[in-house]
Structures are given as C-alpha cells and as structure tokens.
Amino acid sequence: MADPFQFELVAPEKLLVSEPVDQVVVPGTEGYFAVLKGHAPQMSTLRPGVVEVQRGGDTELIFVRGGFADVGPEGLTILAEQAMPLSELDAATLAQEVQNAQEDVNDAPDPVAKAAAEMRLNQLQEVQAAKAAA
C-alpha cells in the first residue's frame, strides 16, 4: 500500500475532500496521471473527466470540469470549476436535463443564447458520459 499524502479538492460551492489519501488519478489536459506521495512538483489544467481518489481499499469517483491540479511537496490540490461525486448523480434526472438543454439549443432566439445553451448542453453531456463510464 502506498504512503498517504494530503489531498484537497475544492470547487466554488464547497471543499469536497481534504484528507490523506493513497493515490489520486487526475484527468489532465495532456492525459490522465496518477499522483502518489513524493510525486514530482507539477501543475496541470484539467479536462472534463473523473478524479479517482484511492484511500485504503476504497475508491471514490468525482466528476470534475475545468480548473487545475497542483502537485507540490505538501501534496495535491485540485481547484475545479465544477465538481460532483458520481454517486450523487441520478441517471434519469441527468437524461431529462440533457433533453431540456437540447430543446433550449433548438429554441434559442439568437446566436448568443444559442452559444450559452450549447455550452450548458456540452457540460451536461460530459457529466452523463462520465456517469455512464463509471
């Protein structure tokens, strides 16, 4: 078993994780990378994906969208634009939100509204894909 290190995952609405963990797999823009205690200092932007947090024999999956990861001597900090444990997502509710967002795109009265609706639709589809893959 790996030696634990400090991990913090912060989203605008709350601090999701702040505790010692064994390993974290991060969805960096250049690809996924795993962080263990003693990892070389690194900073990476995040792409939409799932952060895998391993502690003991348990693995927690958290969807993140946007932000960055900072690995330093004290551990790993992820500052995410959006983060939500996959266990809190209901597939049926998510599917209805995707359908509603698609309707908003189709009904957009102007290019600005359409761009905003498409962004929302893409975000929801990213969450839906992460939930399906988990």
Side-chain angles (χ1 to χ4, degrees):
M1 183 180 296
D3 290 333
F5 63 95
Q6 185 63 29
F7 171 57
E8 292 191 348
L9 174 57
V10 182
E13 54 282 346
K14 65 181 172 178
L15 174 66
L16 276 88
V17 179
S18 180
E19 63 185 89
V21 298
D22 298 323
Q23 177 177 305
V24 179
V25 178
V26 181
T29 53
E30 299 294 319
Y32 281 88
F33 62 94
V35 177
L36 297 164
K37 183 175 183 173
H39 192 286
Q42 174 180 348
M43 185 170 273
S44 174
T45 54
L46 301 177
R47 65 180 173 89
V50 177
V51 173
E52 296 179 27
V53 182
Q54 298 176 8
R55 45 178 104 63
D58 297 329
T59 300
E60 180 180 9
L61 303 175
I62 303 169
F63 175 80
V64 295
R65 185 182 169 285
F68 67 92
D70 181 21
V71 182
E74 64 284 344
L76 168 64
T77 301
I78 292 179
L79 300 176
E81 292 175 14
Q82 178 184 17
M84 179 181 299
L86 286 183
S87 62
E88 293 180 11
L89 294 173
D90 174 56
T93 302
L94 190 55
Q96 183 61 51
E97 287 189 37
V98 168
Q99 182 179 347
N100 293 345
Q102 182 62 60
E103 291 170 3
D104 291 344
V105 169
N106 296 339
D107 297 339
D110 58 65
V112 173
K114 184 170 185 164
E118 286 174 340
M119 181 181 295
R120 172 86 173 132
L121 175 61
N122 290 338
Q123 291 171 354
L124 288 168
Q125 288 173 331
E126 291 164 1
V127 173
Q128 192 175 42
K131 178 74 174 171

